[in-house]
């Protein structure tokens, strides 16, 4: 199981170590540093690194490498999932997961890590349970603790630990009972030069914020549940009920949690689904050319809305890694602002909202190194955007019912579409 | 700790509310201050001090000097303080074992605390203190906690057993904790079950042969129930454990699959992948025409695709596993090609994996799309990725024949880009395409030749030279082209030099008249001016061939080359099957069997996919054995799975009626690169007269029919040692080889001393001799002969002592033996009379061989046959022996014996006594049946042997003794 954990910052310093079994010397990280040196970009460090006696499994988040050391055959996904859980927990506790935040709260961090693993076996990883065991630090609590000498470690066995609903504690009380659900869809797409779609798929999630008193039992039904045939559920969802009736039935955890995530792909052989191919909400017209022997290149880019179901496309941000040969650019945006970093060659254009009547465009010239041959590679254009009040796949919640409690909760649902990895090749 | 000091400086002005203030302890002299604070009367001050200590500890600062002071704070009601002290204890107890004893009393007291949280915490912490003295005290509290009324305590205690086992395995066994742990599998609480399974799995990893996780339909049912209710991590443990079970029949297999499929929708990717493993394995048992089989196939695709939308690290592991899955069952993802298309900001390790899978999924139906993508990738920035993309185009051409033309034209387009590394890579793959489709695309040679000057990488240069040599007759100026390379011959890498040598010889054979000068030039460059033995040898061989027999030279050099196949990069099916059983593990990430790299696991079990069986078949035969020995029918016999060595696996797998869909191994030299360099020696090891050698022949490229002994004998010994070495790590159950003894002392043989032993390696009997010259003069002209003997042993080739043996020199020779020589019964039966001749004289000696080297690999009798034979042999032929002082358990014994081709056919346990039924076949076809009684705790075994030729029993018994005690 997981033997040790080292936290490494971007400059290659180990700033925290934790061992769950015998102590492993931090020199084991040298193998990691070697791999880090070889990698061209920080994110290119391979996640599994073998060393003569151990394996190092790492994730990179918030510019911190979380390097786990294992000694025997352990499923790597188990380790990676756990590491991500550690990061989520830190974020949950400290608001941000940065080196400074971790150092500021080093004792809490240590207590948390101790609570999350025992001898390398996961012990308590649910945020609800952890928070009962170890209270998150707040300025107020620290002050109070200092004055009263009380502690931020729970004295009682967390109620959820062994119940059939380990994700929920008992005795939850709210004056305002509310349950909000966000349906958020991210579209990943690759569009080729000519504007046709090579791949497009939707990664959707339903995130919930449930603050309900007692032990509410919720059911959530959809207008078009057939859309969801590739889903991953939070453990609270009753799978049998879903299989039989396509209804989500669950006792929710308290607070924020991800109820489910789903995946809709563009190519589906399902006969009933052939109509719901993934719609591409924006289009890009581009003309990026270099001529042999000329030290100038042309750059033209126009954006427009495509299938957006009448909703506006906003928060549009275009970025592109221009070829190394480009020295500088001289471009004019019809709206928004653009920047070009001559060192990293990163062009980014903050467009804002797309007005269908007056399409935003960015045109001008790029200056190249004099005498150099024209660049070999074609830049790829990355687009980010948001569309409020719409889920691209067409998923719609039908109703939410609550059983098991008497009061009437306040319910809300919100839809949003975002660009995930939305890439246009030129 | 430079930064920590700096941090302190800056922090002193900053917020005092955060933990970073504790770092001030790292300053010199403050250890004393801390000491005072720790001993303060004020609770709050104490706690703050402990926090400071912990903070220093986390950054790797040594605060062990404070041990007694911190331990003094342990007796407190404050849970946080207690936890902090425990944290400290776990870290430093090892370095201060005597001090740690001070803490024991508090631990024991805490294990009785009314608060389950404290009980659990105490037992948990005690387990983490890796000090022998403490572990002794741990036993009693642990025993109580394992039976605690509170499940939280029980589940913590379960893990503690694993911890204790890690520190002192013997103690855990002696105290009976393993049994208690097994009982916890039936606990009412799913979390306890999950932890018990996890602990047992971890313990089992260091005890591969123990029956710790003895899975039966009842326990499987309990696990499946717990699976639905326990935490995500528990689900992973349970699924991984389930994957080790082999269902009795297809119905059980289906019902397990049905209960596991819901896990595919879990949000935790590790749960998903573990579920995929179970399904991939158990699917193997389902009949393909079953509706459910199709349903299951369809259900597997979406979760795998979903894994690819997760974080890149998860994607990487998922992709490595998908790579295995598409090789085993390509139908699952054949429609999902697009999800493997590369996004330009994927990390490089994800890109490369995706590319690999794209090629595996490439088919006629999607090749156009794939090629368009690959061409796109070839214009990206990352050089490594671009190269691999170009290579991928070549692999597509080789894999999908219909697309070859399109691939070639794509490659030509890429060559036109003139991007240097793209051109070089393209030329390397075009060479492969030429080999796959000879005489088809030669029209492009002209274009390739245009780029000759820009090639600066050895591989590309070598490829280009190969092309020129191969098609010399169609290239008008081939001689000029090759000559141009010759100028800088000595600056080239070996690869290029070798290729150039061969190419020019080819050219000469094709156009002898005008290239004589050139060939002479290259031959002299290779043989006279080069220090490289490979190059020199190849040069000499060509030279001799050309000078003695040009026709033969033509036949050798211009011989038809074996076609390269599209599947060269596929994982070998045996390995693939094993890896499928290890989906989700490190083995699956490295595509290597776990035995190849997992440290600390002594002798990893080789996992196999179950064979598709008809229901009920597996259960009846042991009953027959049961009845045969007249035992109580209620004692359920369990059949020992075959856990043979590497070789056993190779053989078994092919003989087993496994129904895998993977195409048979290919006969390509490329795949077997590793084998190639071991050369003929390995062939000799693996060849021979083993039954099933056709299967091996297929596996190792060229069929290793018995090699001319002249070739393999001298290398045999050395390689045998190599093999032995491997045996130490990879295959602990090798055949027993007695130590070498002196057969012929130097005094009796005019200075020649011979010692030796006998071995059976991969089915070949070998006499391993060590010849030492203790005389003053050189010895030459060695030869060997055997007298007629009981089993017709005879040398299979001459004794290979090629070089004269100088004074005080020693040579090791391995002599392969056959069993087809003349037969005469000897006394003792295994006596062998040998004559060795050298230039001085002829010497005689006799030696005795262990009869075990005559035990053949196919000596495993069918159970029914065993039963019938046992009955058939008259009781007078039965002889009984005692083997004393053998401390193996029955499984270990069975494993050990199997290494020497003594096969356990059935095992049965009656009143704590294990009865093993075994069969042996001698090289002359005599069968020996054995019954071995092993009683737990009793080091004396009883063995009964039955054989139609009872004379051999004594020798066989000696072998048992020798094998078991070594």
């Amino acid at each position: 199981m997981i033997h040790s954990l080292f936290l490494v910052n971007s400059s290659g310093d180990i700033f925290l170590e934790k061992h769950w079994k015998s102590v492993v010397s931090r020199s084991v990280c040298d193998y990691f540093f070697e791999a880090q040196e070889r990698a061209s970009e920080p994110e290119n460090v391979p996640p599994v690194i073998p060393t003569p006696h151990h394996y190092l499994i790492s994730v990179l988040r918030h510019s911190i490498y979380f390097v786990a050391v294992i000694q025997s055959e352990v499923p790597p996904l188990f380790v990676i999932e756990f590491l991500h859980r550690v990061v989520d927990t830190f974020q949950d506790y400290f608001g941000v997961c940065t080196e400074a935040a971790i150092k500021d709260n080093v004792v809490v961090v240590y207590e948390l890590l101790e609570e999350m693993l025992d001898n390398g076996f996961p012990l308590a990883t649910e945020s609800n349970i952890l928070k009962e065991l170890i209270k998150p630090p707040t300025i107020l609590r620290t002050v109070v603790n200092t004055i009263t000498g009380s502690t931020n470690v729970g004295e009682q066995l967390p109620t959820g630990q062994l119940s059939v609903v380990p994700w929920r504690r008992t005795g939850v009380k709210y004056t305002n009972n509310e349950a909000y659900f966000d349906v958020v869809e991210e579209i990943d797409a690759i569009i080729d030069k000519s504007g046709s779609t090579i791949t497009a798929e939707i990664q959707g999630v339903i995130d919930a914020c449930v603050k309900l008193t007692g032990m509410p039992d919720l059911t959530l039904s959809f207008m078009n549940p057939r859309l969801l045939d590739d889903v991953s559920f939070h453990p609270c969802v009753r799978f049998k009920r879903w299989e039989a009736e396509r209804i989500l039935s669950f006792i929710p955890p308290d607070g924020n949690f991800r109820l489910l995530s789903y995946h809709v792909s563009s190519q589906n052989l399902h006969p009933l689904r052939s109509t719901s191919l993934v719609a591409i909400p924006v289009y890009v017209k581009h003309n990026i050319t270099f001529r042999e022997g000329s030290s100038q290149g042309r750059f033209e880019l126009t954006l427009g809305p495509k299938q957006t179901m009448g909703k506006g496309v906003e928060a549009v941000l275009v970025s592109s890694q221009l070829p190394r040969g480009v020295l500088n650019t001289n471009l004019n945006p019809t709206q928004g602002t653009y920047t070009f970093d001559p060192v990293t060659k990163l062009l980014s254009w903050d467009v804002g909202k797309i007005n269908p009547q007056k399409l935003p465009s960015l045109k001008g010239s790029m200056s190249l190194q004099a005498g150099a041959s024209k660049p070999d590679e074609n830049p790829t254009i990355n687009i980010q955007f948001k569309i409020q009040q719409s889920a691209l796949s067409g998923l719609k919640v039908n109703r939410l019912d609550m059983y098991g409690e008497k009061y009437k909760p306040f319910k809300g649902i919100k839809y949003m579409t975002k660009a995930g990895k939305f890439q246009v090749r030129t | 700790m430079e930064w920590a000091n700096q941090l302190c400086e800056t922090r002193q002005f900053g917020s005092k509310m955060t933990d970073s203030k504790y770092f001030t302890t790292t300053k010199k002299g403050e250890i004393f201050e801390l000491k005072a604070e720790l001993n303060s009367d004020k609770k709050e001050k104490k706690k703050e001090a402990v926090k400071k200590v912990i903070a220093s500890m986390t950054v790797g600062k040594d605060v062990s000097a404070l041990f007694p002071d911190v331990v003094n704070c342990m007796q407190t009601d404050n849970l946080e303080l207690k936890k902090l002290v425990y944290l400290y204890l776990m870290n430093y107890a090892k370095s201060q074992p005597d001090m740690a004893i001070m803490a024991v009393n508090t631990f024991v007291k805490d294990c009785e605390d009314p608060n389950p949280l404290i009980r659990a915490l105490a037992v948990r912490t005690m387990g983490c203190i890796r000090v022998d003295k403490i572990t002794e005290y741990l036993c009693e509290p642990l025993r109580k906690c394992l039976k605690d009324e509170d499940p939280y305590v029980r589940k913590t205690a379960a893990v503690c057993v694993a911890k204790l086992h890690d520190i002192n395995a013997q103690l855990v066994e002696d105290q009976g904790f393993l049994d208690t742990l097994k009982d916890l599998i039936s606990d009412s609480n799913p979390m306890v079950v999950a932890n018990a399974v996890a602990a047992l799995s971890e313990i089992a990893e260091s005890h591969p042969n123990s029956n710790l996780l003895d899975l039966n339909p009842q326990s499987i049912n309990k696990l499946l129930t717990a699976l639905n209710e326990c935490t995500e991590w528990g689900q992973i443990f349970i699924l991984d454990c389930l994957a080790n079970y082999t269902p009795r029949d297809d119905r059980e297999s289906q019902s397990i699959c049905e209960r596991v499929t819901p896990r595919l929708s879990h949000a935790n990717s590790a749960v998903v992948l573990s579920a995929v493993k179970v399904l991939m394995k158990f699917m193997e048992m389902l009949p393909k025409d079953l509706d459910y089989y199709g349903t299951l196939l369809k259900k597997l695709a979406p979760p795998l695709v979903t894994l690819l939308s997760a974080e890149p690290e998860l994607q990487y592991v998922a992709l490595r596993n998908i790579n295995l899955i598409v090789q085993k069952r390509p139908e699952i993802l054949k429609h999902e090609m697009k999800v493997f298309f590369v996004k330009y900001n994927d990390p490089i390790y994800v890109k490369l994996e995706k590319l690999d899978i794209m090629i595996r999924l490439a088919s006629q139906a999607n090749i156009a799309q794939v090629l368009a993508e690959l061409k796109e990738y070839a214009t990206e920035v990352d050089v490594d990725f671009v190269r691999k993309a170009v290579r991928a185009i070549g692999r597509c051409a080789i894999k999908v024949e219909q697309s070859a033309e399109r691939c070639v034209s794509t490659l030509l387009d890429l060559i036109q880009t003139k991007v240097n590394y793209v051109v070089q890579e393209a030329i390397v793959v075009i060479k492969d395409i030429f080999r796959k489709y000879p005489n088809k695309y030669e029209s492009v040679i002209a274009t390739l030749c245009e780029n000759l000057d820009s090639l600066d990488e050895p591989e590309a240069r070598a490829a280009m030279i190969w092309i020129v040599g191969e098609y010399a007759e169609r290239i008008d100026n081939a001689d000029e082209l090759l000559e141009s390379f010759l100028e800088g011959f000595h600056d080239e890498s070996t690869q290029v030099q070798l290729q150039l040598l061969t190419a020019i010889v080819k050219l000469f054979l094709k156009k002898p008249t005008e290239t004589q000068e050139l060939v002479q030039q290259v031959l002299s460059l290779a043989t006279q001016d080069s220090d490289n033995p490979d190059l020199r040898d190849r040069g000499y061989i060509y030279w001799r061939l050309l000078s003695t027999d040009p026709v033969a030279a033509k036949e050798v050099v211009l011989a038809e080359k074996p076609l390269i196949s599209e599947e060269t990069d596929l994982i070998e099916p045996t390995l693939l099957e094993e890896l499928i059983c290890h989906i989700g593990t490190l083995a699956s990430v490295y595509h290597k069997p776990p035995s190849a790299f997992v440290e600390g696991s002594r002798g990893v079990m080789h996992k196999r996919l179950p064979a598709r069986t008809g229901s009920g078949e597996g259960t009846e035969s042991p009953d027959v054995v049961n009845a045969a020995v007249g035992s109580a029918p209620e004692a359920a016999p369990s059949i020992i799975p075959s856990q043979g060595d590497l070789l056993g696996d190779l053989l078994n797998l092919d003989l087993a009626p496994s129904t895998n869909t993977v195409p048979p191994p290919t006969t390509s030299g490329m795949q077997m690169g590793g084998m190639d360099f071991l050369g003929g020696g390995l062939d000799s090891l693996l060849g021979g007269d083993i039954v099933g050698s056709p299967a091996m022949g297929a596996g190792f490229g060229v069929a290793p029919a018995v090699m001319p002994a002249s070739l393999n004998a001298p290398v045999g010994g050395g390689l045998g040692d190599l093999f032995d070495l491997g045996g130490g790590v990879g295959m602990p159950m090798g055949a027993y080889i007695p130590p070498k003894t002196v057969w012929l002392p130097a005094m009796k043989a005019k200075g020649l001393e011979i010692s030796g032993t006998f071995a059976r390696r991969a089915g070949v009997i070998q006499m391993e001799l060590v010849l030492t010259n203790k005389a003053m003069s050189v010895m030459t002209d060695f030869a060997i002969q055997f007298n007629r003997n009981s089993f017709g042993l005879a040398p299979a080739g001459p004794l290979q002592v090629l070089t004269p043996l100088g004074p005080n020199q020693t040579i090791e020779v391995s002599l392969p033996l056959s069993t087809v020589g003349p037969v005469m019964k000897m006394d003792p039966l295994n006596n062998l009379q040998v004559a060795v001749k050298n230039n001085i004289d002829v010497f005689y000696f006799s030696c005795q061989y262990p009869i075990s080297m005559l035990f053949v690999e196919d000596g495993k009798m069918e159970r029914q046959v065993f039963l019938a034979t046992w009955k058939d042999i008259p009781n007078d032929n039965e002889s009984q022996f005692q083997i004393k002082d053998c401390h193996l358990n029955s499984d270990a014994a069975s494993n050990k014996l199997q290494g020497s081709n003594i096969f356990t056919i059935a095992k049965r346990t009656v009143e704590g006594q294990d009865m093993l039924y075994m069969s042996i076949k001698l090289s002359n076809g005599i069968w020996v049946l054995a019954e071995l009684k092993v009683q737990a705790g009793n080091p004396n075994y009883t063995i009964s042997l039955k054989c139609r030729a009872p004379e051999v029993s004594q020798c066989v018994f000696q072998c048992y003794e020798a094998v078991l005690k070594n």
Side-chain angles (χ1 to χ4, degrees), chain B residues 539-551:
Chain B
Y540 278 127
I541 289 172
Y542 284 148
W543 202 323
R544 248 184 238 177
L545 266 174
L546 291 173
S547 57
T548 51
D549 189 353
V551 181

Side-chain angles (χ1 to χ4, degrees), chain B residues 566-579:
Chain B
E566 68 256 44
E567 308 297 8
T568 43
D569 57 324
L570 283 182
I571 294 175
E572 193 247 328
T574 326
L575 179 58
L576 182 62
E577 298 232 330
E578 193 179 350
L579 290 177

